[in-house]
Amino acid sequence: MTRRSEQISLHLNAYLTAHSTPPDAILRELATETAERYPNEISLQVAPELGTFLTLLTRVSRGRSGLEVGTFTGYSSICIARGLGAGGRLLCCDVSDEWTSVARKYWEKAGLTDRIELRLGPALDTLRSLPEEKAFDVAFIDADKLSYPKYWTELVPRVRSGGLIMVDNTFSHGRVLDAGNDNPSVIAVRTMNDHAAADDRVELIMLPIGDGLTVALKH
């Protein structure tokens, strides 16, 4: 796996991963197959240290109901599903049957098929089709960046009080600092970041792990 926390040096990142719980054999196999099959899309997969952090956060939250927006080949979904409490369920949203066919294979290898439901189609359509009630304990956003502000808008009301909302790539590879950057994806991420920071329904922290992870606690 080539993904890593970008805001620290290679040597410090190596030290970080050497002193963190490593991915198990299933996650390592998934990362290898993803890199071999989709070398141009490998950056869509979360860094191994972020995967470990997702499991820990989910476990600490004692959540049993999770939602993931953007699944790719399934690395982060395995990490989140493993952290859910007894009887936990994770709803995954993605548009690619090809990518998620790999995810389904590894969900089975990990013994998680009874914990994960996949809905194929635009994630916004899936989110808007869900009941407008507080149903989820944990939510993770890691999909198309142009829709980040809309994902936030749809997700926050559907997360329970005390629940977690985690958003990946909130640094946009450091480009959020460049006010003159007119890339639509960067603008969308910056817009969501500003909106989230001003949202009085949550308290949050932005962390320099992966490409920036925002962790929000719902009031």
Short mmCIF file of all heavy atoms in Angstrom, two decimals, residues 94-132:
data_model
loop_
_atom_site.label_atom_id
_atom_site.label_comp_id
_atom_site.label_asym_id
_atom_site.label_seq_id
_atom_site.Cartn_x
_atom_site.Cartn_y
_atom_site.Cartn_z
N ASP A 94 -21.88 3.23 -2.55
CA ASP A 94 -20.88 3.40 -3.60
C ASP A 94 -21.57 3.26 -4.95
O ASP A 94 -22.68 2.71 -5.04
CB ASP A 94 -19.77 2.35 -3.48
CG ASP A 94 -18.45 2.82 -4.11
OD1 ASP A 94 -18.33 2.76 -5.36
OD2 ASP A 94 -17.56 3.26 -3.37
N VAL A 95 -20.90 3.76 -6.00
CA VAL A 95 -21.49 3.70 -7.34
C VAL A 95 -20.89 2.60 -8.20
O VAL A 95 -21.42 2.30 -9.28
CB VAL A 95 -21.33 5.05 -8.09
CG1 VAL A 95 -22.12 6.14 -7.39
CG2 VAL A 95 -19.86 5.44 -8.21
N SER A 96 -19.80 1.99 -7.76
CA SER A 96 -19.06 1.05 -8.61
C SER A 96 -19.29 -0.40 -8.20
O SER A 96 -18.85 -0.83 -7.14
CB SER A 96 -17.56 1.36 -8.57
OG SER A 96 -16.84 0.37 -9.28
N ASP A 97 -19.93 -1.14 -9.08
CA ASP A 97 -20.08 -2.57 -8.84
C ASP A 97 -18.74 -3.28 -8.97
O ASP A 97 -18.47 -4.26 -8.25
CB ASP A 97 -21.09 -3.16 -9.84
CG ASP A 97 -21.34 -4.63 -9.59
OD1 ASP A 97 -21.80 -4.99 -8.50
OD2 ASP A 97 -21.05 -5.45 -10.50
N GLU A 98 -17.87 -2.78 -9.85
CA GLU A 98 -16.56 -3.41 -10.05
C GLU A 98 -15.70 -3.29 -8.80
O GLU A 98 -15.17 -4.29 -8.30
CB GLU A 98 -15.84 -2.76 -11.24
CG GLU A 98 -14.46 -3.35 -11.49
CD GLU A 98 -13.70 -2.65 -12.60
OE1 GLU A 98 -14.28 -1.76 -13.25
OE2 GLU A 98 -12.52 -3.00 -12.81
N TRP A 99 -15.55 -2.07 -8.30
CA TRP A 99 -14.71 -1.89 -7.11
C TRP A 99 -15.28 -2.64 -5.92
O TRP A 99 -14.55 -3.30 -5.18
CB TRP A 99 -14.60 -0.40 -6.77
CG TRP A 99 -13.78 0.38 -7.74
CD1 TRP A 99 -12.92 -0.10 -8.69
CD2 TRP A 99 -13.73 1.82 -7.87
NE1 TRP A 99 -12.35 0.94 -9.40
CE2 TRP A 99 -12.82 2.11 -8.92
CE3 TRP A 99 -14.36 2.86 -7.19
CZ2 TRP A 99 -12.53 3.42 -9.29
CZ3 TRP A 99 -14.09 4.16 -7.57
CH2 TRP A 99 -13.18 4.44 -8.61
N THR A 100 -16.59 -2.55 -5.73
CA THR A 100 -17.18 -3.16 -4.54
C THR A 100 -17.28 -4.68 -4.65
O THR A 100 -17.50 -5.35 -3.65
CB THR A 100 -18.57 -2.57 -4.23
OG1 THR A 100 -19.40 -2.69 -5.39
CG2 THR A 100 -18.46 -1.10 -3.83
N SER A 101 -17.08 -5.23 -5.85
CA SER A 101 -17.01 -6.69 -5.95
C SER A 101 -15.78 -7.20 -5.20
O SER A 101 -15.80 -8.29 -4.61
CB SER A 101 -16.96 -7.14 -7.42
OG SER A 101 -15.73 -6.74 -8.04
N VAL A 102 -14.70 -6.41 -5.23
CA VAL A 102 -13.52 -6.75 -4.43
C VAL A 102 -13.85 -6.62 -2.95
O VAL A 102 -13.49 -7.48 -2.13
CB VAL A 102 -12.33 -5.84 -4.79
CG1 VAL A 102 -11.10 -6.18 -3.94
CG2 VAL A 102 -11.99 -5.95 -6.27
N ALA A 103 -14.56 -5.56 -2.58
CA ALA A 103 -14.95 -5.37 -1.19
C ALA A 103 -15.78 -6.55 -0.70
O ALA A 103 -15.53 -7.07 0.41
CB ALA A 103 -15.75 -4.07 -1.04
N ARG A 104 -16.74 -7.00 -1.50
CA ARG A 104 -17.60 -8.11 -1.07
C ARG A 104 -16.78 -9.37 -0.82
O ARG A 104 -17.06 -10.12 0.13
CB ARG A 104 -18.68 -8.36 -2.12
CG ARG A 104 -19.76 -7.27 -2.14
CD ARG A 104 -20.95 -7.69 -2.98
NE ARG A 104 -20.63 -7.75 -4.40
CZ ARG A 104 -20.79 -6.75 -5.24
NH1 ARG A 104 -21.27 -5.59 -4.82
NH2 ARG A 104 -20.49 -6.89 -6.53
N LYS A 105 -15.77 -9.59 -1.66
CA LYS A 105 -14.92 -10.77 -1.47
C LYS A 105 -14.20 -10.71 -0.14
O LYS A 105 -14.12 -11.71 0.59
CB LYS A 105 -13.91 -10.87 -2.62
CG LYS A 105 -12.97 -12.06 -2.49
CD LYS A 105 -12.11 -12.25 -3.73
CE LYS A 105 -10.98 -11.25 -3.79
NZ LYS A 105 -10.03 -11.55 -4.90
N TYR A 106 -13.70 -9.53 0.21
CA TYR A 106 -12.94 -9.42 1.45
C TYR A 106 -13.83 -9.30 2.68
O TYR A 106 -13.42 -9.66 3.79
CB TYR A 106 -11.92 -8.28 1.35
CG TYR A 106 -10.72 -8.70 0.54
CD1 TYR A 106 -10.68 -8.52 -0.84
CD2 TYR A 106 -9.65 -9.35 1.15
CE1 TYR A 106 -9.59 -8.95 -1.59
CE2 TYR A 106 -8.55 -9.78 0.40
CZ TYR A 106 -8.54 -9.59 -0.95
OH TYR A 106 -7.46 -10.02 -1.70
N TRP A 107 -15.05 -8.80 2.51
CA TRP A 107 -16.00 -8.85 3.62
C TRP A 107 -16.25 -10.31 4.01
O TRP A 107 -16.33 -10.63 5.19
CB TRP A 107 -17.32 -8.18 3.23
CG TRP A 107 -17.22 -6.71 3.02
CD1 TRP A 107 -16.25 -5.86 3.48
CD2 TRP A 107 -18.13 -5.89 2.27
NE1 TRP A 107 -16.51 -4.58 3.07
CE2 TRP A 107 -17.64 -4.55 2.33
CE3 TRP A 107 -19.31 -6.14 1.56
CZ2 TRP A 107 -18.30 -3.49 1.71
CZ3 TRP A 107 -19.97 -5.09 0.94
CH2 TRP A 107 -19.47 -3.77 1.01
N GLU A 108 -16.36 -11.15 3.00
CA GLU A 108 -16.57 -12.57 3.28
C GLU A 108 -15.34 -13.17 3.96
O GLU A 108 -15.47 -13.92 4.94
CB GLU A 108 -16.89 -13.32 1.99
CG GLU A 108 -17.21 -14.79 2.21
CD GLU A 108 -17.68 -15.50 0.95
OE1 GLU A 108 -17.77 -14.84 -0.12
OE2 GLU A 108 -17.96 -16.70 1.04
N LYS A 109 -14.16 -12.85 3.45
CA LYS A 109 -12.93 -13.36 4.06
C LYS A 109 -12.82 -12.93 5.53
O LYS A 109 -12.32 -13.68 6.38
CB LYS A 109 -11.70 -12.84 3.30
CG LYS A 109 -11.42 -13.52 1.97
CD LYS A 109 -10.23 -12.85 1.30
CE LYS A 109 -9.86 -13.53 -0.02
NZ LYS A 109 -9.04 -14.73 0.20
N ALA A 110 -13.29 -11.71 5.81
CA ALA A 110 -13.20 -11.17 7.16
C ALA A 110 -14.37 -11.61 8.05
O ALA A 110 -14.41 -11.24 9.24
CB ALA A 110 -13.14 -9.65 7.11
N GLY A 111 -15.31 -12.37 7.49
CA GLY A 111 -16.46 -12.82 8.27
C GLY A 111 -17.43 -11.70 8.61
O GLY A 111 -18.07 -11.73 9.67
N LEU A 112 -17.56 -10.74 7.71
CA LEU A 112 -18.37 -9.55 7.99
C LEU A 112 -19.60 -9.40 7.10
O LEU A 112 -20.27 -8.37 7.15
CB LEU A 112 -17.50 -8.29 7.86
CG LEU A 112 -16.36 -8.15 8.87
CD1 LEU A 112 -15.44 -7.00 8.47
CD2 LEU A 112 -16.90 -7.94 10.28
N THR A 113 -19.89 -10.39 6.28
CA THR A 113 -20.99 -10.24 5.33
C THR A 113 -22.34 -10.02 6.03
O THR A 113 -23.23 -9.36 5.47
CB THR A 113 -21.10 -11.47 4.41
OG1 THR A 113 -21.14 -12.66 5.22
CG2 THR A 113 -19.89 -11.56 3.48
N ASP A 114 -22.48 -10.53 7.24
CA ASP A 114 -23.74 -10.35 7.95
C ASP A 114 -23.83 -8.99 8.64
O ASP A 114 -24.87 -8.63 9.18
CB ASP A 114 -23.93 -11.46 8.99
CG ASP A 114 -22.85 -11.46 10.06
OD1 ASP A 114 -21.74 -10.94 9.78
OD2 ASP A 114 -23.11 -11.96 11.17
N ARG A 115 -22.73 -8.23 8.60
CA ARG A 115 -22.70 -6.92 9.25
C ARG A 115 -22.80 -5.77 8.27
O ARG A 115 -23.01 -4.63 8.67
CB ARG A 115 -21.38 -6.75 10.03
CG ARG A 115 -21.32 -7.51 11.32
CD ARG A 115 -20.14 -7.04 12.17
NE ARG A 115 -20.42 -7.34 13.56
CZ ARG A 115 -20.06 -6.58 14.58
NH1 ARG A 115 -19.38 -5.47 14.37
NH2 ARG A 115 -20.35 -6.91 15.81
N ILE A 116 -22.60 -6.05 6.98
CA ILE A 116 -22.47 -4.97 6.00
C ILE A 116 -23.54 -5.08 4.92
O ILE A 116 -23.74 -6.16 4.34
CB ILE A 116 -21.07 -4.98 5.35
CG1 ILE A 116 -19.98 -4.81 6.42
CG2 ILE A 116 -20.96 -3.87 4.31
CD1 ILE A 116 -18.57 -4.91 5.89
N GLU A 117 -24.20 -3.97 4.65
CA GLU A 117 -25.15 -3.87 3.54
C GLU A 117 -24.61 -2.87 2.53
O GLU A 117 -24.23 -1.76 2.90
CB GLU A 117 -26.52 -3.41 4.04
CG GLU A 117 -27.53 -3.18 2.91
CD GLU A 117 -28.81 -2.52 3.38
OE1 GLU A 117 -28.99 -2.37 4.60
OE2 GLU A 117 -29.62 -2.12 2.51
N LEU A 118 -24.58 -3.26 1.27
CA LEU A 118 -24.09 -2.39 0.20
C LEU A 118 -25.26 -1.88 -0.63
O LEU A 118 -26.11 -2.67 -1.06
CB LEU A 118 -23.12 -3.15 -0.70
CG LEU A 118 -22.64 -2.42 -1.96
CD1 LEU A 118 -21.81 -1.19 -1.60
CD2 LEU A 118 -21.85 -3.37 -2.85
N ARG A 119 -25.29 -0.58 -0.84
CA ARG A 119 -26.28 0.00 -1.75
C ARG A 119 -25.55 0.71 -2.87
O ARG A 119 -24.82 1.68 -2.64
CB ARG A 119 -27.20 0.98 -1.01
CG ARG A 119 -28.07 0.30 0.03
CD ARG A 119 -29.19 1.19 0.50
NE ARG A 119 -29.88 0.62 1.64
CZ ARG A 119 -30.90 1.19 2.27
NH1 ARG A 119 -31.36 2.37 1.85
NH2 ARG A 119 -31.46 0.61 3.31
N LEU A 120 -25.73 0.20 -4.08
CA LEU A 120 -25.09 0.78 -5.25
C LEU A 120 -25.95 1.89 -5.82
O LEU A 120 -27.16 1.76 -5.95
CB LEU A 120 -24.87 -0.30 -6.31
CG LEU A 120 -23.77 -1.32 -6.02
CD1 LEU A 120 -23.77 -2.41 -7.09
CD2 LEU A 120 -22.40 -0.66 -5.94
N GLY A 121 -25.29 2.99 -6.17
CA GLY A 121 -25.99 4.14 -6.74
C GLY A 121 -25.42 5.40 -6.14
O GLY A 121 -24.61 5.36 -5.21
N PRO A 122 -25.81 6.57 -6.66
CA PRO A 122 -25.32 7.83 -6.11
C PRO A 122 -25.61 7.92 -4.62
O PRO A 122 -26.74 7.70 -4.18
CB PRO A 122 -26.08 8.89 -6.91
CG PRO A 122 -26.42 8.20 -8.20
CD PRO A 122 -26.70 6.77 -7.83
N ALA A 123 -24.58 8.23 -3.84
CA ALA A 123 -24.74 8.23 -2.38
C ALA A 123 -25.77 9.26 -1.92
O ALA A 123 -26.50 9.01 -0.96
CB ALA A 123 -23.40 8.50 -1.72
N LEU A 124 -25.85 10.39 -2.60
CA LEU A 124 -26.83 11.39 -2.19
C LEU A 124 -28.25 10.85 -2.31
O LEU A 124 -29.10 11.11 -1.45
CB LEU A 124 -26.68 12.67 -3.02
CG LEU A 124 -25.65 13.69 -2.54
CD1 LEU A 124 -25.54 14.82 -3.52
CD2 LEU A 124 -26.00 14.20 -1.15
N ASP A 125 -28.50 10.09 -3.38
CA ASP A 125 -29.83 9.48 -3.54
C ASP A 125 -30.10 8.50 -2.41
O ASP A 125 -31.21 8.46 -1.86
CB ASP A 125 -29.92 8.75 -4.89
CG ASP A 125 -29.90 9.70 -6.07
OD1 ASP A 125 -30.07 10.93 -5.86
OD2 ASP A 125 -29.71 9.24 -7.21
N THR A 126 -29.08 7.71 -2.06
CA THR A 126 -29.24 6.75 -0.97
C THR A 126 -29.50 7.48 0.34
O THR A 126 -30.42 7.12 1.10
CB THR A 126 -28.00 5.86 -0.83
OG1 THR A 126 -27.80 5.12 -2.04
CG2 THR A 126 -28.15 4.89 0.33
N LEU A 127 -28.71 8.51 0.63
CA LEU A 127 -28.89 9.25 1.88
C LEU A 127 -30.27 9.88 1.96
O LEU A 127 -30.93 9.83 3.01
CB LEU A 127 -27.81 10.33 2.01
CG LEU A 127 -26.37 9.84 2.19
CD1 LEU A 127 -25.41 11.03 2.21
CD2 LEU A 127 -26.22 9.03 3.46
N ARG A 128 -30.70 10.48 0.87
CA ARG A 128 -32.01 11.15 0.88
C ARG A 128 -33.17 10.18 0.95
O ARG A 128 -34.29 10.58 1.31
CB ARG A 128 -32.11 12.05 -0.36
CG ARG A 128 -31.21 13.27 -0.27
CD ARG A 128 -31.05 14.00 -1.58
NE ARG A 128 -30.24 15.21 -1.43
CZ ARG A 128 -29.70 15.89 -2.43
NH1 ARG A 128 -29.88 15.47 -3.69
NH2 ARG A 128 -28.97 16.96 -2.20
N SER A 129 -32.92 8.92 0.61
CA SER A 129 -33.97 7.91 0.71
C SER A 129 -34.12 7.36 2.12
O SER A 129 -35.11 6.68 2.43
CB SER A 129 -33.69 6.75 -0.25
OG SER A 129 -32.60 5.94 0.22
N LEU A 130 -33.15 7.65 2.99
CA LEU A 130 -33.20 7.16 4.36
C LEU A 130 -34.17 8.00 5.18
O LEU A 130 -34.36 9.18 4.92
CB LEU A 130 -31.81 7.22 5.00
CG LEU A 130 -30.72 6.36 4.35
CD1 LEU A 130 -29.36 6.67 4.98
CD2 LEU A 130 -31.04 4.88 4.48
N PRO A 131 -34.77 7.41 6.19
CA PRO A 131 -35.66 8.19 7.07
C PRO A 131 -34.94 9.38 7.67
O PRO A 131 -33.76 9.30 8.01
CB PRO A 131 -36.05 7.17 8.16
CG PRO A 131 -35.85 5.83 7.53
CD PRO A 131 -34.68 5.99 6.59
N GLU A 132 -35.65 10.48 7.82
CA GLU A 132 -35.06 11.68 8.39
C GLU A 132 -35.13 11.61 9.92
O GLU A 132 -35.84 12.36 10.57
CB GLU A 132 -35.77 12.92 7.86
CG GLU A 132 -35.56 13.14 6.36
CD GLU A 132 -36.22 14.41 5.86
OE1 GLU A 132 -36.74 15.17 6.72
OE2 GLU A 132 -36.22 14.64 4.65
#
